[in-house]
Amino acid sequence: MRHLLTNAGPIAHMSSKGPISGHILDESSFVHEPGMAILVEDHVIVKIDETESMESEFTDILVTNLEGKAVIPGLVDAHTHLLWAGDRSREISWKQKGMSYKQIAEKGGGIAATVLPTRSASDSDLSHLGIERMREALRNGTTHLEAKSGYGLDTETELRMLSIAEGLSAIERLPSLDLTWLGAHAAAPGSSLDDYFEDIMSNQLPAILEQGIARSADVFCEPGWFSIEQSEDLLKASRDGGLDLRIHIDEFADGGGGDLAAELSVQTADHAHHTNLESRHSMDKAGVNTGFLPGTPYSMGEDYPPFKQCQENNFVWSIASDFNPNCRTLSLPFISSILVQRNEISPITTLAACTVNSANTTPHPSGLKHGMIEVGAVANLNIVDGPWWEAWCLQPGHSPFAATMLEGELIYH
Ligand code: NIG
Ligand code: FE
């Protein structure tokens, strides 16, 4: 089926051969002037040209007049903990009494407090939660999500979580998924970290590889959680088993995870809040993306990672929601508002961080390009409810979009 979108306002297309480093100085090379039309055939963008010539070339096809509304790519959320049950809202009073994330974990809160309700939730309860969350992400313009396991923390539940997530990825009219195994997220309740790690290496990893659902492996490499040595062993064995690699590093302290990320050339090193500049240079040389997750310090009442340092050094970086029980947002427009309205990062650079750059770490299942509006890319795009594309990151409390085109289908919000 062919569908022509006419009379677009400005299109912030973000078309680029690869990820964009640093910050964007020449915004105009990433934005088409108003008046363009986009032709979509099935789930692919096939032509972008002036409305007038497209209307005379393509007659008798479905036409939607955008009436000057701005357009941006479908947003790509490259770091989420999508599936879990339970509710840790009461931890806010502990946080406000000054307890750290580590102290809350030691008191029985944190990740372990999500594991027990997740293990006892049924498959259908977890699927239902997943569907609701994916709808919420889509309402906020996300057309593709990376989704991690990590709240099972035993072989049976980690396999079950990935299999439920695989089921979700087959449902139509929901964002596509890229699945990551994060069995090494914390010590399993009742085990020491070292005993649980042993079990991961001898039993859980082989079972995950045999199941064959996860595309990547991830590990929470942080002082007080999995060590550099454990993270290295786990990631190397995962790579040997055919998985791509991601890593959580330096969320609360610089633990040396940046050097490990560089040594292993992982796809993306996330949080990377306290990483030292030298390690950031090594990551950059090794082609490692820095995946900032500013919703987490927002939720914890902490300061933000050094976006500007990465801009000035021309590093490649992205942003993601980190949706999890401690950071309960699936809105990339909200995360983007933190950069633009609280950290003086320009809207166009912020848009690159959650489209072309994040897409570079999480492929679309079709194998086509995504995170940009260009000929040959997946037809994933957002119609902003207004004439200015910048409005996408300036309305943190609600969705800024009138509609989202998801793999060629226009869904009105
Ligand atoms: O990326 N910090 C490690 N993992 C998650 C949080 C998990 C949780 O608190 O439940 C994160 O922020
Ligand atoms: Fe995370």
Side-chain angles (χ1 to χ4, degrees):
M1 194 187 85
R2 291 196 295 180
H3 190 168
L4 187 62
L5 306 175
T6 61
N7 294 306
I11 302 174
H13 55 78
M14 309 319 291
S15 172
S16 162
K17 285 206 166 49
I20 300 165
S21 58
H23 61 138
I24 295 172
L25 297 172
D26 178 18
E27 179 180 301
S28 65
S29 48
F30 294 100
V31 183
H32 294 306
E33 292 288 321
M36 303 293 273
I38 301 170
L39 179 66
V40 170
E41 186 158 356
D42 300 324
H43 62 286
V44 186
I45 296 169
V46 292
K47 191 164 183 181
I48 302 170
D49 206 343
E50 302 284 344
T51 293
E52 213 171 293
S53 69
M54 292 272 257
E55 276 178 338
S56 47
E57 188 178 346
F58 301 99
T59 50
D60 292 331
I61 65 169
L62 176 63
V63 175
T64 299
N65 186 338
L66 300 183
E67 295 173 342
K69 288 186 164 57
V71 182
I72 67 168
L75 303 175
V76 176
D77 195 345
H79 184 133
T80 77
H81 303 256
L82 184 68
L83 287 181
W84 46 269
D87 190 330
R88 300 197 339 237
S89 300
R90 292 203 60 202
E91 290 178 9
I92 189 66
S93 59
W94 300 349
K95 284 182 207 162
Q96 292 194 332
K97 281 184 188 123
M99 285 175 69
S100 68
Y101 187 81
K102 180 86 191 146
Q103 287 166 327
I104 290 172
E106 280 158 6
K107 197 176 145 106
I111 295 169
T114 300
V115 169
L116 301 177
T118 302
R119 284 183 185 167
S120 54
S122 67
D123 287 12
S124 87
D125 284 349
L126 287 164
S127 293
H128 188 73
L129 283 168
I131 290 169
E132 283 304 309
R133 290 168 185 170
M134 290 165 82
R135 284 195 184 131
E136 172 68 8
L138 182 63
R139 247 194 309 278
N140 284 284
T142 295
T143 50
H144 177 88
L145 296 141
E146 184 263 8
K148 303 173 197 297
S149 69
Y151 291 104
L153 303 191
D154 60 30
T155 301
E156 183 197 332
T157 320
E158 287 294 310
L159 292 171
R160 190 160 78 88
M161 303 303 279
L162 287 165
S163 145
I164 294 168
E166 186 185 42
L168 296 177
S169 65
I171 301 176
E172 287 185 0
R173 292 169 64 92
L174 288 179
S176 50
L177 293 179
D178 177 26
L179 302 182
T180 300
W181 166 63
L182 176 61
H185 196 191
S191 282
S192 73
L193 195 86
D194 290 348
D195 286 351
Y196 178 54
F197 185 73
E198 266 299 309
D199 182 51
I200 290 178
M201 295 299 283
S202 7
N203 301 311
Q204 198 178 120
L205 172 57
I208 295 289
L209 294 177
E210 199 193 318
Q211 184 194 38
I213 292 177
R215 192 187 69 80
S216 308
D218 195 343
V219 52
F220 186 25
C221 174
E222 181 81 19
W225 280 270
F226 294 92
S227 68
I228 296 287
E229 294 71 26
Q230 289 172 326
S231 303
E232 180 169 8
D233 287 353
L234 178 132
L235 292 178
K236 281 185 170 161
S238 299
R239 175 171 281 167
D240 290 347
L243 300 180
D244 274 337
L245 308 183
R246 318 175 82 82
I247 189 168
H248 286 66
I249 58 163
D250 303 342
E251 179 177 353
F252 306 113
D254 183 359
D259 292 338
L260 177 63
E263 180 199 321
L264 298 176
S265 290
V266 302
Q267 300 171 99
T268 185
D270 292 356
H271 286 296
H273 191 145
H274 297 279
T275 311
N276 66 77
L277 185 56
E278 202 181 320
S279 301
R280 290 191 195 281
H281 278 289
S282 309
M283 281 166 45
D284 185 56
K285 278 202 202 84
V288 175
N289 176 74
T290 297
F292 288 127
L293 309 174
T296 303
Y298 173 91
S299 303
M300 313 271 297
E302 289 163 5
D303 61 355
Y304 293 108
F307 310 110
K308 283 201 168 164
Q309 183 193 55
C310 287
Q311 286 198 149
E312 283 154 16
N313 284 283
N314 261 324
F315 299 146
V316 172
W317 56 281
S318 62
I319 53 171
S321 71
D322 193 25
F323 173 75
N324 74 66
N326 186 47
C327 173
R328 290 173 69 169
T329 183
L330 281 156
S331 166
L332 286 172
F334 162 64
I335 297 295
S336 299
S337 142
I338 296 177
L339 277 90
V340 175
Q341 299 185 299
R342 287 289 175 276
N343 285 277
E344 299 171 0
I345 306 298
S346 72
I348 196 82
T349 298
T350 304
L351 186 58
C354 55
T355 56
V356 49
N357 286 12
S358 50
N360 194 51
T361 77
T362 174
H364 192 269
S366 65
L368 298 173
K369 279 186 166 192
H370 65 147
M372 61 184 75
I373 298 171
E374 69 168 35
V375 171
V378 183
N380 279 348
L381 49 87
N382 285 301
I383 317 296
V384 178
D385 198 8
W388 302 104
W389 63 269
E390 293 91 332
W392 126 87
C393 61
L394 303 177
Q395 306 172 61
H398 70 150
S399 172
F401 303 118
T404 298
M405 178 170 270
L406 180 67
E407 297 179 19
E409 185 179 351
L410 199 54
I411 296 170
Y412 291 90
H413 297 306

